[in-house]
Amino acid sequence: MSIIILGIESSCDDTSAAVIRDGILASNVIASQKVHEEYGGVVPELASRAHQQNIVPVVDAALKRAGIDKHDLSAIAFTRGPGLLGSLLVGTSFAKGLSLGLDIPIVDVNHLHGHVLSHFIRKEEGDAVPEFPYLCLLISGGNSQIILVKSPSDMEVLGQTIDDAAGEAFDKCAKVMGLPYPGGPHIDRLAAEGDASRFKFAKPRIPGLNYSFSGLKTSFLYTLRDNLKTDPEFIEKNKADLAASLQATIIDILLAKLKKAVEITGVHTVAIGGGVSANSGVRNAVADYCKRNGLTAFIPERAFTTDNAAMVAIAGYFKYLDKQFCEYDAAPYARVQV
């Protein structure tokens, strides 16, 4: 009998539902929220209201595209955290209600674990997946971590940001440049046209495998401030070079610690995940580094880099196999649980 998992993701501003049958992706539906663009960032109250409007049609669409009746489901996996509490409450409450109605178990998923396990999303039998153990460079708007993945349920954080994450550095610097939200994709687009050696920004000297991006962000802001004093059109004239230099510096910071982690652990499989793993420069840099050093690289499809329910469903699938079910009194959490 097939194991069919419905995944629900509502941690931030995208409502998503996906169906996985026996580990193979059957559908993945995402409803994005455009309402936040005019505010330059996600407004939590608006996000939770949009989730309430979207979740029923999104789940219905995911089931229909998968050709699955809700009564065929084995379990429901949902993002419990971290994320925006109001948004998480919508997905958590819906999953619990549907679970009770269908009398099937629920599985809570850590959003970050979903990103780490996104490489196990298969569209058909035979698709390549990582072998354990592997190193995952998790880079998103709120998190920058290097994780040693020993199994779907055994992950060790080797290093993480002590302040801003890489995604925050992209978005905050893009905002002061006057670029639309979210700024990361616009930086990526402009960087392809610019000279990455034009500007030099500060790089942190953090011991071990931890990251820091606050100094880079400050250095970038000082560069703008100092040059705007003499040239009010400095940003407009140099957008591409600023973007290219910023992106190259972030990549250098990310790769330096990843290389050190490979040396320390001796692991020969490297994966990346999270929203920033959609960045062209990051993808190319990691792929090139692995190729030059005889490492196996796993670069996710861009559809699986941003928040999506397919990663929640596959993480839930592994927990279902281990019978790690969730109690109905489990509450969502906003921050990473230690």
Side-chain angles (χ1 to χ4, degrees):
M1 185 175 178
S2 292
I3 298 174
I4 304 175
I5 308 294
L6 170 66
I8 296 173
E9 157 62 22
S10 68
S11 64
C12 191
D13 61 335
D14 287 332
T15 313
S16 182
V19 175
I20 282 184
R21 184 203 294 264
D22 294 329
I24 306 297
L25 183 65
S27 68
N28 187 37
V29 178
I30 302 174
S32 298
Q33 301 175 8
K34 301 294 185 182
V35 67
H36 307 284
E37 292 181 0
E38 63 180 294
Y39 299 100
V42 177
V43 181
E45 177 63 23
L46 295 179
S48 57
R49 290 183 182 183
H51 283 303
Q52 289 178 315
Q53 295 174 339
N54 292 335
I55 193 162
V56 171
V58 164
V59 169
D60 183 62
L63 292 172
K64 287 180 177 177
R65 291 184 191 181
I68 297 294
D69 184 273
K70 62 181 180 291
H71 296 287
D72 297 327
L73 294 174
S74 305
I76 302 167
F78 67 95
T79 301
R80 185 178 170 192
L84 301 175
L85 269 182
S87 296
L88 291 166
L89 276 168
V90 176
T92 300
S93 300
F94 184 89
K96 290 179 180 179
L98 186 58
S99 165
L100 285 167
L102 298 175
D103 193 25
I104 56 176
I106 50 174
V107 179
D108 62 318
V109 171
N110 181 304
H111 179 79
L112 304 183
H113 291 179
H115 279 303
V116 172
L117 296 173
S118 63
H119 301 279
F120 291 90
I121 301 170
R122 294 178 297 154
K123 293 185 175 179
E124 57 185 35
E125 292 286 351
D127 285 351
V129 296
E131 293 185 359
F132 299 107
Y134 66 93
L135 285 171
C136 181
L137 175 60
L138 175 60
I139 34 178
S140 64
N143 297 276
S144 293
Q145 298 179 328
I146 297 178
I147 301 170
L148 178 61
V149 188
K150 304 172 186 177
S151 77
S153 59
D154 187 0
M155 304 181 192
E156 179 184 356
V157 177
L158 303 180
Q160 59 189 331
T161 183
I162 61 174
D163 43 55
D164 286 351
E168 289 176 303
F170 273 122
D171 286 339
K172 290 177 180 178
C173 291
K175 186 173 183 177
V176 297
M177 288 174 64
L179 298 176
Y181 172 83
H186 296 285
I187 294 289
D188 191 15
R189 172 180 55 80
L190 287 168
E193 307 167 4
D195 178 2
S197 64
R198 174 79 184 286
F199 299 101
K200 300 296 181 183
F201 303 119
K203 295 180 184 179
R205 297 182 179 180
I206 307 298
L209 297 177
N210 284 337
Y211 284 111
S212 169
F213 292 94
S214 63
L216 164 63
K217 183 185 66 178
T218 302
S219 175
F220 184 86
L221 294 176
Y222 281 164
T223 298
L224 297 189
R225 184 199 64 181
D226 294 343
N227 285 278
L228 285 170
K229 290 178 181 178
T230 56
D231 184 2
E233 297 182 1
F234 172 77
I235 294 177
E236 192 60 37
K237 292 177 181 177
N238 299 280
K239 272 187 177 179
D241 291 347
L242 285 166
S245 301
L246 173 68
Q247 179 165 292
T249 306
I250 291 177
I251 291 172
D252 285 349
I253 295 171
L254 290 171
L255 264 290
K257 294 302 177 80
L258 179 61
K259 293 174 183 178
K260 184 178 290 188
V262 170
E263 294 171 0
I264 292 173
T265 63
V267 172
H268 286 78
T269 300
V270 173
I272 58 175
V276 181
S277 65
N279 179 278
S280 300
V282 171
R283 297 166 74 87
N284 293 336
V286 171
D288 181 62
Y289 160 67
C290 289
K291 183 177 181 179
R292 286 186 287 104
N293 291 276
L295 307 176
T296 302
F298 280 87
I299 313 295
E301 289 187 28
R302 281 188 167 86
F304 302 137
T305 59
T306 54
D307 296 346
N308 65 91
M311 67 181 193
V312 177
I314 194 64
Y317 173 73
F318 284 123
K319 293 188 76 172
Y320 179 89
L321 294 178
D322 289 339
K323 300 188 185 306
Q324 296 180 27
F325 304 132
C326 179
E327 301 294 334
Y328 286 106
D329 61 356
Y333 51 89
R335 299 181 181 277
V336 176
Q337 291 190 323
V338 180

